[in-house]
Amino acid sequence: MREPRQITASQTMMAIFNSMVGISILRLPRIASEHVNSDAILVTVIGLGLMMFGIGIMTLLGYRFPKTSLMQFSKQIIGKPLSFLFGLFILCFFIVLIGFITREFSFMLSSFLYPDTPIIVLVGTMLFLVAIATRNDITTIAYMHFFYFPLLCLPLLALIVLALPEVDVRHVKPFLGNGTTFSHFVQGGVTVAALPFVPIGIFLLTVLTPHTQNAKHAIRGSLLGGLISGVVILLTVFVTIGVFGYMETKSPLWPLYVLTRMIQLPLELLERLDILFLGVWVLSTFTTILSGYLIVIYTGSQLFNLKSHRVLSYLALPFVLGAAMYPQNIFHLFELIEQIGKIGLILTMGYPLFLLLIALIRRKGNMSK
Protein backbone atom coordinates (compact mmCIF):
# COMPACT_ATOMS: atom_id res chain seq x y z
CA MET A 1 0.00 0.00 0.00
CA ARG A 2 1.49 3.33 -1.04
CA GLU A 3 1.45 6.04 1.62
CA PRO A 4 0.03 9.50 0.85
CA ARG A 5 3.27 11.14 2.01
CA GLN A 6 6.83 10.20 1.22
CA ILE A 7 9.90 10.01 3.42
CA THR A 8 12.74 12.47 2.87
CA ALA A 9 16.48 11.87 3.05
CA SER A 10 16.75 13.72 6.38
CA GLN A 11 13.98 11.60 7.91
CA THR A 12 15.75 8.43 6.73
CA MET A 13 18.98 9.64 8.28
CA MET A 14 17.33 10.45 11.60
CA ALA A 15 15.42 7.17 11.71
CA ILE A 16 18.64 5.19 11.23
CA PHE A 17 20.45 7.26 13.86
CA ASN A 18 17.66 6.79 16.41
CA SER A 19 17.57 3.06 15.71
CA MET A 20 21.30 2.52 16.12
CA VAL A 21 21.94 4.68 19.16
CA GLY A 22 20.14 2.40 21.61
CA ILE A 23 20.84 0.50 24.79
CA SER A 24 23.53 -1.63 23.10
CA ILE A 25 26.03 1.25 23.07
CA LEU A 26 25.89 1.40 26.88
CA ARG A 27 27.87 -1.84 27.08
CA LEU A 28 29.75 -1.54 23.78
CA PRO A 29 32.93 -0.17 25.45
CA ARG A 30 33.00 -3.19 27.77
CA ILE A 31 32.50 -5.67 24.91
CA ALA A 32 35.26 -4.09 22.83
CA SER A 33 37.65 -3.93 25.80
CA GLU A 34 37.11 -7.58 26.66
CA HIS A 35 38.39 -8.64 23.25
CA VAL A 36 41.43 -6.41 22.71
CA ASN A 37 41.96 -4.27 25.84
CA SER A 38 43.15 -0.76 24.89
CA ASP A 39 42.62 -1.49 21.18
CA ALA A 40 38.85 -1.29 21.75
CA ILE A 41 38.55 1.80 19.55
CA LEU A 42 40.09 0.02 16.56
CA VAL A 43 37.80 -2.98 17.05
CA THR A 44 34.83 -0.60 17.16
CA VAL A 45 36.00 0.91 13.85
CA ILE A 46 36.10 -2.59 12.32
CA GLY A 47 32.60 -3.37 13.56
CA LEU A 48 31.22 -0.05 12.32
CA GLY A 49 32.97 -0.65 8.98
CA LEU A 50 31.05 -3.91 8.65
CA MET A 51 27.89 -1.99 9.49
CA MET A 52 28.53 0.53 6.70
CA PHE A 53 29.23 -2.37 4.33
CA GLY A 54 25.82 -3.81 5.14
CA ILE A 55 24.12 -0.46 4.69
CA GLY A 56 25.88 -0.02 1.34
CA ILE A 57 24.61 -3.39 0.09
CA MET A 58 21.06 -2.60 1.16
CA THR A 59 21.12 0.82 -0.50
CA LEU A 60 22.35 -0.71 -3.76
CA LEU A 61 19.49 -3.20 -3.67
CA GLY A 62 17.07 -0.37 -3.00
CA TYR A 63 18.50 1.56 -5.94
CA ARG A 64 18.11 -1.41 -8.30
CA PHE A 65 14.58 -2.12 -7.09
CA PRO A 66 12.99 1.23 -6.20
CA LYS A 67 9.54 1.33 -4.57
CA THR A 68 9.67 -2.40 -3.76
CA SER A 69 10.35 -4.14 -0.46
CA LEU A 70 12.91 -6.85 0.26
CA MET A 71 10.29 -9.59 0.08
CA GLN A 72 9.02 -8.31 -3.26
CA PHE A 73 12.32 -8.00 -5.11
CA SER A 74 13.77 -11.17 -3.55
CA LYS A 75 10.95 -13.09 -5.29
CA GLN A 76 12.15 -11.63 -8.60
CA ILE A 77 15.75 -12.58 -7.89
CA ILE A 78 15.63 -16.08 -6.35
CA GLY A 79 11.99 -17.14 -6.72
CA LYS A 80 9.09 -17.43 -4.28
CA PRO A 81 10.05 -20.62 -2.34
CA LEU A 82 13.55 -19.48 -1.38
CA SER A 83 12.36 -15.93 -0.79
CA PHE A 84 9.67 -17.17 1.58
CA LEU A 85 12.13 -19.38 3.47
CA PHE A 86 14.69 -16.61 3.99
CA GLY A 87 11.89 -14.18 4.86
CA LEU A 88 10.69 -16.57 7.56
CA PHE A 89 14.20 -16.80 9.00
CA ILE A 90 14.47 -13.00 9.05
CA LEU A 91 11.08 -12.70 10.75
CA CYS A 92 12.01 -15.18 13.50
CA PHE A 93 15.41 -13.55 13.98
CA PHE A 94 13.99 -10.09 14.58
CA ILE A 95 11.24 -11.40 16.87
CA VAL A 96 13.90 -12.94 19.11
CA LEU A 97 16.24 -9.94 18.79
CA ILE A 98 13.60 -7.37 19.76
CA GLY A 99 12.54 -9.55 22.66
CA PHE A 100 16.11 -9.67 23.96
CA ILE A 101 16.61 -5.91 23.58
CA THR A 102 13.43 -5.25 25.53
CA ARG A 103 14.55 -7.65 28.25
CA GLU A 104 17.93 -5.89 28.55
CA PHE A 105 16.17 -2.55 28.81
CA SER A 106 13.93 -3.94 31.55
CA PHE A 107 16.95 -5.26 33.46
CA MET A 108 18.47 -1.79 33.36
CA LEU A 109 15.28 -0.11 34.59
CA SER A 110 14.97 -2.71 37.32
CA SER A 111 18.55 -2.09 38.43
CA PHE A 112 18.41 1.71 38.61
CA LEU A 113 14.78 2.81 38.96
CA TYR A 114 12.26 0.05 39.68
CA PRO A 115 13.94 -2.73 41.69
CA ASP A 116 10.63 -4.04 43.07
CA THR A 117 8.72 -4.05 39.77
CA PRO A 118 8.40 -7.47 38.09
CA ILE A 119 10.39 -7.74 34.88
CA ILE A 120 7.36 -8.89 32.91
CA VAL A 121 5.55 -5.64 33.77
CA LEU A 122 8.42 -3.53 32.42
CA VAL A 123 8.75 -5.70 29.30
CA GLY A 124 5.02 -5.77 28.64
CA THR A 125 4.61 -2.01 29.09
CA MET A 126 7.36 -1.15 26.62
CA LEU A 127 6.14 -3.66 24.01
CA PHE A 128 2.55 -2.49 24.34
CA LEU A 129 3.57 1.14 23.79
CA VAL A 130 5.62 0.11 20.74
CA ALA A 131 2.73 -1.96 19.36
CA ILE A 132 0.44 1.07 19.62
CA ALA A 133 3.02 3.33 17.91
CA THR A 134 3.55 0.92 15.01
CA ARG A 135 -0.15 1.05 14.11
CA ASN A 136 0.66 4.33 12.37
CA ASP A 137 1.70 4.37 8.73
CA ILE A 138 5.38 4.30 7.76
CA THR A 139 5.65 8.01 7.07
CA THR A 140 4.11 8.92 10.44
CA ILE A 141 6.70 6.71 12.17
CA ALA A 142 9.40 8.49 10.18
CA TYR A 143 8.04 11.81 11.50
CA MET A 144 8.25 10.38 15.04
CA HIS A 145 11.95 9.66 14.49
CA PHE A 146 12.33 13.20 13.10
CA PHE A 147 10.88 14.59 16.33
CA TYR A 148 12.99 12.41 18.66
CA PHE A 149 16.30 12.97 16.83
CA PRO A 150 17.41 16.20 18.60
CA LEU A 151 16.34 14.74 21.97
CA LEU A 152 18.84 11.92 21.43
CA CYS A 153 21.62 13.51 19.40
CA LEU A 154 22.15 16.71 21.40
CA PRO A 155 22.47 15.07 24.86
CA LEU A 156 24.91 12.48 23.48
CA LEU A 157 27.04 15.20 21.91
CA ALA A 158 26.90 17.13 25.20
CA LEU A 159 28.05 14.01 27.08
CA ILE A 160 31.00 13.59 24.72
CA VAL A 161 32.02 17.25 25.06
CA LEU A 162 31.73 17.20 28.86
CA ALA A 163 33.74 13.96 29.11
CA LEU A 164 36.59 15.02 26.80
CA PRO A 165 38.48 17.04 29.48
CA GLU A 166 38.54 13.92 31.68
CA VAL A 167 40.06 11.72 28.96
CA ASP A 168 43.57 10.41 29.60
CA VAL A 169 45.10 9.54 26.23
CA ARG A 170 47.37 6.99 27.92
CA HIS A 171 44.30 4.83 28.53
CA VAL A 172 43.83 4.26 24.80
CA LYS A 173 47.49 3.41 24.12
CA PRO A 174 49.01 1.39 22.61
CA PHE A 175 46.64 1.31 19.68
CA LEU A 176 48.24 -1.94 18.49
CA GLY A 177 49.68 -4.06 21.24
CA ASN A 178 48.91 -5.72 24.56
CA GLY A 179 49.45 -9.15 23.08
CA THR A 180 46.46 -8.92 20.76
CA THR A 181 46.47 -10.87 17.51
CA PHE A 182 44.73 -10.52 14.18
CA SER A 183 42.14 -13.11 15.22
CA HIS A 184 41.31 -11.02 18.31
CA PHE A 185 40.56 -8.03 16.09
CA VAL A 186 38.43 -10.11 13.73
CA GLN A 187 36.46 -11.69 16.57
CA GLY A 188 36.02 -8.35 18.27
CA GLY A 189 34.90 -6.61 15.08
CA VAL A 190 32.39 -9.36 14.33
CA THR A 191 31.06 -9.17 17.89
CA VAL A 192 30.55 -5.41 17.58
CA ALA A 193 28.85 -5.83 14.19
CA ALA A 194 26.60 -8.51 15.71
CA LEU A 195 25.18 -6.14 18.35
CA PRO A 196 21.43 -5.50 17.87
CA PHE A 197 21.72 -1.91 16.61
CA VAL A 198 23.53 -3.05 13.44
CA PRO A 199 20.91 -5.43 11.95
CA ILE A 200 18.10 -3.10 12.97
CA GLY A 201 19.75 -0.13 11.25
CA ILE A 202 20.46 -2.14 8.11
CA PHE A 203 17.04 -3.76 7.75
CA LEU A 204 15.15 -0.59 8.60
CA LEU A 205 16.11 0.46 5.08
CA THR A 206 13.95 -2.35 3.69
CA VAL A 207 10.99 -0.62 5.34
CA LEU A 208 11.85 2.99 4.58
CA THR A 209 13.27 2.80 1.04
CA PRO A 210 9.99 1.88 -0.76
CA HIS A 211 8.39 4.96 0.83
CA THR A 212 11.12 7.52 0.15
CA GLN A 213 10.69 10.28 -2.41
CA ASN A 214 13.22 8.67 -4.75
CA ALA A 215 16.11 6.20 -4.70
CA LYS A 216 18.75 8.95 -4.43
CA HIS A 217 17.12 10.30 -1.27
CA ALA A 218 17.17 6.80 0.22
CA ILE A 219 20.89 6.40 -0.55
CA ARG A 220 21.81 9.83 0.77
CA GLY A 221 19.79 9.43 3.96
CA SER A 222 20.92 5.87 4.71
CA LEU A 223 24.64 6.50 4.21
CA LEU A 224 24.52 9.76 6.15
CA GLY A 225 22.55 8.14 8.96
CA GLY A 226 25.02 5.27 9.22
CA LEU A 227 27.99 7.65 9.13
CA ILE A 228 26.67 10.04 11.79
CA SER A 229 25.58 7.26 14.14
CA GLY A 230 28.92 5.50 13.60
CA VAL A 231 30.89 8.63 14.51
CA VAL A 232 28.81 9.24 17.64
CA ILE A 233 29.14 5.61 18.74
CA LEU A 234 32.90 5.68 18.14
CA LEU A 235 33.28 8.88 20.17
CA THR A 236 31.30 7.42 23.08
CA VAL A 237 33.63 4.40 23.12
CA PHE A 238 36.66 6.71 22.97
CA VAL A 239 35.60 8.88 25.91
CA THR A 240 34.57 5.87 28.01
CA ILE A 241 37.88 4.06 27.49
CA GLY A 242 39.78 7.34 27.82
CA VAL A 243 38.22 8.18 31.19
CA PHE A 244 38.20 4.74 32.84
CA GLY A 245 40.89 2.77 31.04
CA TYR A 246 40.19 -0.66 29.59
CA MET A 247 40.55 -2.52 32.91
CA GLU A 248 37.88 -0.49 34.72
CA THR A 249 35.67 -0.47 31.64
CA LYS A 250 35.36 -4.27 31.86
CA SER A 251 33.82 -4.19 35.34
CA PRO A 252 30.36 -2.54 35.05
CA LEU A 253 27.63 -4.00 32.86
CA TRP A 254 26.89 -0.61 31.28
CA PRO A 255 30.11 1.48 31.49
CA LEU A 256 28.75 4.35 29.41
CA TYR A 257 25.96 4.87 31.94
CA VAL A 258 28.53 4.89 34.75
CA LEU A 259 30.32 7.65 32.85
CA THR A 260 27.19 9.84 33.01
CA ARG A 261 27.24 9.52 36.80
CA MET A 262 30.74 11.02 36.90
CA ILE A 263 30.22 13.95 34.54
CA GLN A 264 29.17 17.29 35.99
CA LEU A 265 27.85 20.40 34.29
CA PRO A 266 29.77 23.67 34.65
CA LEU A 267 28.80 25.67 37.77
CA GLU A 268 27.15 22.47 39.10
CA LEU A 269 23.82 23.30 37.49
CA LEU A 270 22.64 19.71 38.01
CA GLU A 271 23.91 17.46 40.79
CA ARG A 272 22.67 14.17 39.29
CA LEU A 273 23.30 14.34 35.56
CA ASP A 274 22.79 10.59 35.23
CA ILE A 275 19.06 10.98 35.94
CA LEU A 276 18.76 13.21 32.86
CA PHE A 277 20.68 10.74 30.71
CA LEU A 278 18.64 7.83 32.00
CA GLY A 279 15.68 9.48 30.32
CA VAL A 280 17.75 9.71 27.13
CA TRP A 281 18.54 5.98 27.30
CA VAL A 282 14.86 5.17 27.81
CA LEU A 283 13.96 7.22 24.75
CA SER A 284 16.78 5.75 22.65
CA THR A 285 15.72 2.23 23.61
CA PHE A 286 12.14 3.03 22.68
CA THR A 287 13.14 4.25 19.20
CA THR A 288 15.36 1.18 18.66
CA ILE A 289 12.62 -1.24 19.70
CA LEU A 290 10.12 0.77 17.65
CA SER A 291 12.21 0.31 14.50
CA GLY A 292 12.86 -3.36 15.23
CA TYR A 293 9.20 -4.09 15.92
CA LEU A 294 8.28 -2.26 12.73
CA ILE A 295 10.68 -4.54 10.82
CA VAL A 296 8.95 -7.56 12.37
CA ILE A 297 5.40 -6.62 11.45
CA TYR A 298 6.34 -5.14 8.06
CA THR A 299 8.30 -8.27 7.10
CA GLY A 300 5.45 -10.45 8.34
CA SER A 301 2.86 -8.51 6.35
CA GLN A 302 4.97 -8.80 3.19
CA LEU A 303 5.69 -12.48 3.84
CA PHE A 304 2.02 -13.44 4.20
CA ASN A 305 0.71 -10.94 1.62
CA LEU A 306 -1.32 -8.84 4.08
CA LYS A 307 -2.73 -5.49 3.05
CA SER A 308 -1.09 -3.54 5.87
CA HIS A 309 1.49 -4.03 8.60
CA ARG A 310 -1.05 -2.77 11.14
CA VAL A 311 -2.74 -6.18 11.14
CA LEU A 312 0.24 -7.68 12.98
CA SER A 313 0.81 -4.86 15.47
CA TYR A 314 -0.88 -6.75 18.29
CA LEU A 315 -0.64 -10.28 16.89
CA ALA A 316 3.18 -10.22 17.03
CA LEU A 317 3.17 -9.04 20.65
CA PRO A 318 2.92 -12.48 22.36
CA PHE A 319 5.80 -13.88 20.28
CA VAL A 320 8.14 -10.99 21.13
CA LEU A 321 7.08 -11.13 24.77
CA GLY A 322 7.80 -14.87 24.88
CA ALA A 323 11.29 -14.30 23.47
CA ALA A 324 11.91 -11.52 26.00
CA MET A 325 11.06 -13.73 28.98
CA TYR A 326 13.18 -16.70 27.87
CA PRO A 327 16.63 -15.67 29.27
CA GLN A 328 17.19 -16.82 32.85
CA ASN A 329 19.29 -13.86 33.97
CA ILE A 330 21.26 -10.90 32.63
CA PHE A 331 24.39 -12.93 31.88
CA HIS A 332 22.40 -15.59 30.06
CA LEU A 333 20.78 -12.76 28.10
CA PHE A 334 24.13 -11.26 27.05
CA GLU A 335 25.36 -14.68 25.96
CA LEU A 336 22.24 -15.27 23.86
CA ILE A 337 22.42 -11.80 22.28
CA GLU A 338 26.02 -12.45 21.20
CA GLN A 339 25.20 -15.90 19.80
CA ILE A 340 22.08 -14.91 17.89
CA GLY A 341 23.76 -11.71 16.70
CA LYS A 342 26.58 -13.62 15.02
CA ILE A 343 24.08 -15.98 13.40
CA GLY A 344 22.07 -12.95 12.34
CA LEU A 345 25.06 -11.56 10.42
CA ILE A 346 24.40 -14.26 7.82
CA LEU A 347 20.88 -12.93 7.36
CA THR A 348 21.52 -9.21 7.69
CA MET A 349 24.69 -9.02 5.58
CA GLY A 350 25.17 -12.36 3.84
CA TYR A 351 21.64 -12.66 2.46
CA PRO A 352 21.46 -9.11 0.97
CA LEU A 353 24.94 -9.63 -0.55
CA PHE A 354 23.74 -12.92 -2.04
CA LEU A 355 20.68 -11.18 -3.51
CA LEU A 356 22.81 -8.38 -4.97
CA LEU A 357 25.23 -10.81 -6.64
CA ILE A 358 22.40 -12.89 -8.12
CA ALA A 359 20.68 -9.70 -9.33
CA LEU A 360 23.89 -8.61 -11.06
CA ILE A 361 24.40 -12.03 -12.66
CA ARG A 362 20.78 -12.35 -13.80
CA ARG A 363 20.58 -8.61 -14.65
CA LYS A 364 17.54 -8.09 -12.49
CA GLY A 365 16.40 -4.62 -11.50
CA ASN A 366 16.65 -1.30 -13.24
CA MET A 367 19.58 0.95 -12.36
CA SER A 368 18.22 3.81 -14.44
CA LYS A 369 15.31 4.48 -12.10
Side-chain angles (χ1 to χ4, degrees), residues 277-298:
F277 277 99
L278 190 58
V280 175
W281 303 134
V282 171
L283 181 58
S284 67
T285 305
F286 171 77
T287 55
T288 301
I289 297 175
L290 174 67
S291 297
Y293 197 86
L294 180 62
I295 294 171
V296 168
I297 61 176
Y298 188 83

Side-chain angles (χ1 to χ4, degrees), residues 32-318:
S33 298
E34 287 176 344
H35 281 84
V36 290
N37 298 326
S38 62
D39 304 323
I41 298 174
L42 185 55
V43 160
T44 305
V45 171
I46 295 173
L48 294 175
L50 290 174
M51 175 196 75
M52 292 302 298
F53 176 72
I55 290 177
I57 294 172
M58 201 62 77
T59 54
L60 288 176
L61 283 171
Y63 193 57
R64 291 188 70 92
F65 301 93
K67 301 300 180 182
T68 56
S69 67
L70 176 69
M71 289 303 303
Q72 292 170 338
F73 64 68
S74 62
K75 293 177 183 178
Q76 302 177 34
I77 298 173
I78 59 176
K80 292 183 179 180
L82 273 179
S83 173
F84 182 86
L85 181 62
F86 277 106
L88 193 60
F89 286 150
I90 292 170
L91 178 62
C92 294
F93 168 72
F94 277 103
I95 286 176
V96 175
L97 188 67
I98 299 310
F100 287 171
I101 296 174
T102 310
R103 182 65 180 273
E104 182 180 359
F105 164 75
S106 301
F107 270 127
M108 182 180 175
L109 282 187
S110 179
S111 300
F112 297 112
L113 286 181
Y114 307 109
D116 299 324
T117 304
I119 288 292
I120 192 171
V121 174
L122 299 175
V123 171
T125 301
M126 173 59 80
L127 290 178
F128 185 67
L129 291 174
V130 168
I132 294 175
T134 51
R135 289 193 60 80
N136 292 288
D137 57 55
I138 305 298
T139 50
T140 300
I141 295 175
Y143 275 103
M144 293 171 63
H145 280 293
F146 182 86
F147 174 77
Y148 290 137
F149 174 75
L151 301 179
L152 294 178
C153 184
L154 295 180
L156 280 174
L157 293 177
L159 172 63
I160 293 169
V161 171
L162 291 172
L164 278 176
E166 307 296 328
V167 170
D168 187 344
V169 181
R170 292 173 296 180
H171 288 161
V172 295
K173 291 181 179 180
F175 297 107
L176 293 171
N178 292 322
T180 51
T181 63
F182 178 74
S183 63
H184 290 147
F185 283 103
V186 173
Q187 293 174 9
V190 170
T191 302
V192 172
L195 287 174
F197 68 87
V198 175
I200 291 175
I202 292 174
F203 261 75
L204 183 62
L205 294 175
T206 67
V207 180
L208 299 179
T209 301
H211 303 274
T212 51
Q213 293 179 347
N214 56 60
K216 292 182 179 179
H217 283 195
I219 293 175
R220 190 183 309 121
S222 59
L223 294 178
L224 193 58
L227 182 62
I228 293 175
S229 59
V231 169
V232 171
I233 290 171
L234 184 62
L235 288 175
T236 57
V237 173
F238 172 76
V239 296
T240 305
I241 303 294
V243 171
F244 295 124
Y246 69 87
M247 290 299 295
E248 291 187 23
T249 303
K250 296 179 184 180
S251 300
L253 292 177
W254 298 284
L256 185 57
Y257 176 73
V258 177
L259 179 64
T260 64
R261 307 182 73 170
M262 297 179 54
I263 301 302
Q264 292 183 346
L265 288 174
L267 304 179
E268 297 184 356
L269 297 176
L270 285 176
E271 185 176 353
R272 292 289 305 276
L273 194 61
D274 61 302
I275 299 299
L276 173 63
F277 277 99
L278 190 58
V280 175
W281 303 134
V282 171
L283 181 58
S284 67
T285 305
F286 171 77
T287 55
T288 301
I289 297 175
L290 174 67
S291 297
Y293 197 86
L294 180 62
I295 294 171
V296 168
I297 61 176
Y298 188 83
T299 301
S301 65
Q302 295 286 315
L303 190 65
F304 299 109
N305 296 319
L306 302 178
K307 292 183 178 180
S308 173
H309 67 277
R310 298 183 184 92
V311 179
L312 297 178
S313 294
Y314 296 133
L315 293 178
L317 198 56

